Amino acid sequence: MCLAALLVLTAGIPASARELGGREIMVLVDERPDGEDRRSVLTMTLINKRGSQRVRQVESFSKDYGRDRKSVMVFREPADVRGTAYLSWEYDELDREDDKWLYMPALKKVRRISGSSRNEYFMGTDFTYDDMGRRNVDKDVHELLGEEQAMGHDCWKVEAVPVDPRDLYTRRVLWVSKSAHMVVQAEYYDKDGLVKIYRALDLRPHEGFWTLFHSEMDNVSREHKTVMTMESVRYDTGLDDDLFQVSTIQRGRIR
């Protein structure tokens, strides 16, 4: 059979019904529909090894600009972090470094997050600055390891090994839901072994899009956990471009 005929025959077959490679699966994750903009309110609970908890309320906004994305997170409670804001401009271009800023109201200053800080943990959570954004698919080499059930979903199991040897993790193992095209479980490894495990605990359709309502990052190396609970999510509300400016977070007037 000639190549043209084979392409015609496979073009109409759903991705879930034919064999995909690791990179193709991660492209599905990267390109899954999630609206043009999003706004949400969430509770972030930080739990240490003694079981002590710190609870923070956060409001989050993001908007797509073609294949680029701008996002801002604002801490509403408690008082010691109120008004802290994190702004990121994520670029699809592989070799272009994302721009990130953190506004600390106590200092009344905006700090630019440099590339060398991308592996630092964000605001005491178990997410690094690099974990917070979308990762270009071609920053890793992906290999399909098989198919498994995870977190109640039929999944592809994919190994991701970073191209850049300076990356914090030496590899990640990802379980990608075949129906949602989202990562529902992930294991992060460094040169010493398993660092942390991510789990999507409540993932379901909402306003026409698969939406994550409850998740956790269990940092086994620090004996620390971050639990994220979504209180509300809205899509395509027409967010204003001014929301995603450094001057806006510095004024502390994000609504």
Side-chain angles (χ1 to χ4, degrees):
M1 182 181 295
C2 70
L3 177 60
L6 183 63
L7 290 174
V8 169
L9 286 174
T10 57
I13 301 175
S16 58
R18 57 186 170 88
E19 288 191 14
L20 299 175
R23 185 181 184 282
E24 288 177 284
I25 292 166
M26 297 315 296
V27 169
L28 289 177
V29 173
D30 185 57
E31 296 182 349
R32 73 176 183 87
D34 62 350
E36 293 300 312
D37 66 54
R38 298 129 224 118
R39 63 186 305 162
S40 59
V41 176
L42 61 102
T43 299
M44 184 184 293
T45 305
L46 282 54
I47 307 170
N48 68 18
K49 62 181 179 182
R50 294 184 297 277
S52 299
Q53 298 187 3
R54 288 183 291 162
V55 180
R56 297 170 173 182
Q57 289 185 326
V58 179
E59 194 162 8
S60 175
F61 310 85
S62 67
K63 184 173 183 177
D64 295 343
Y65 294 81
R67 293 190 56 80
D68 297 338
R69 176 171 292 184
K70 297 181 179 180
S71 305
V72 63
M73 296 179 66
V74 186
F75 286 75
R76 300 301 191 194
E77 298 290 344
D80 62 336
V81 293
R82 187 180 301 144
T84 301
Y86 171 65
L87 171 66
S88 65
W89 295 358
E90 301 167 8
Y91 307 111
D92 183 63
E93 192 176 344
L94 180 61
D95 296 327
R96 186 175 182 184
E97 192 81 32
D98 294 342
D99 290 310
K100 303 172 184 177
W101 299 267
L102 184 68
Y103 173 66
M104 308 292 286
L107 303 176
K108 298 187 185 304
K109 289 180 63 176
V110 173
R111 170 194 168 201
R112 190 182 187 94
I113 307 298
S114 65
S116 60
S117 301
R118 65 180 185 173
N119 292 332
E120 294 178 2
Y121 285 106
F122 171 71
M123 294 291 291
T125 71
D126 296 286
F127 295 86
T128 66
Y129 285 99
D130 209 31
D131 293 335
M132 300 288 290
R134 295 195 303 177
R135 187 174 174 86
N136 189 297
V137 171
D138 291 319
K139 284 189 174 181
D140 300 286
V141 175
H142 299 96
E143 180 183 356
L144 176 62
L145 301 180
E147 300 181 6
E148 288 182 3
Q149 275 263 330
M151 309 308 298
H153 291 254
D154 292 327
C155 293
W156 293 293
K157 184 178 179 181
V158 177
E159 181 184 60
V161 176
V163 174
D164 187 346
R166 297 169 298 176
D167 202 283
L168 178 62
Y169 310 111
T170 54
R171 71 186 184 104
R172 294 173 297 142
V173 180
L174 313 169
W175 284 260
V176 177
S177 166
K178 293 182 178 180
S179 54
H181 294 171
M182 293 175 69
V183 175
V184 296
Q185 183 172 306
E187 295 176 349
Y188 296 72
Y189 294 85
D190 67 9
K191 58 183 176 54
D192 296 319
L194 180 64
V195 177
K196 57 188 183 181
I197 304 170
Y198 166 82
R199 299 181 183 91
L201 303 171
D202 182 5
L203 175 65
R204 49 189 152 91
H206 173 72
E207 294 188 358
F209 304 106
W210 281 95
T211 304
L212 183 62
F213 282 90
H214 191 194
S215 63
E216 67 175 22
M217 183 69 90
D218 185 0
N219 195 322
V220 296
S221 65
R222 297 171 65 197
E223 297 184 78
H224 194 274
K225 184 183 291 187
T226 301
V227 178
M228 312 275 272
T229 304
M230 205 70 74
E231 309 295 341
S232 66
V233 187
R234 296 172 62 196
Y235 294 95
D236 294 331
T237 59
L239 295 176
D240 196 300
D241 293 339
D242 288 344
L243 193 60
F244 306 99
Q245 300 300 318
V246 175
S247 57
T248 302
I249 65 170
Q250 194 162 19
R251 287 197 299 270
R253 294 177 181 174
I254 298 175
R255 295 287 185 271

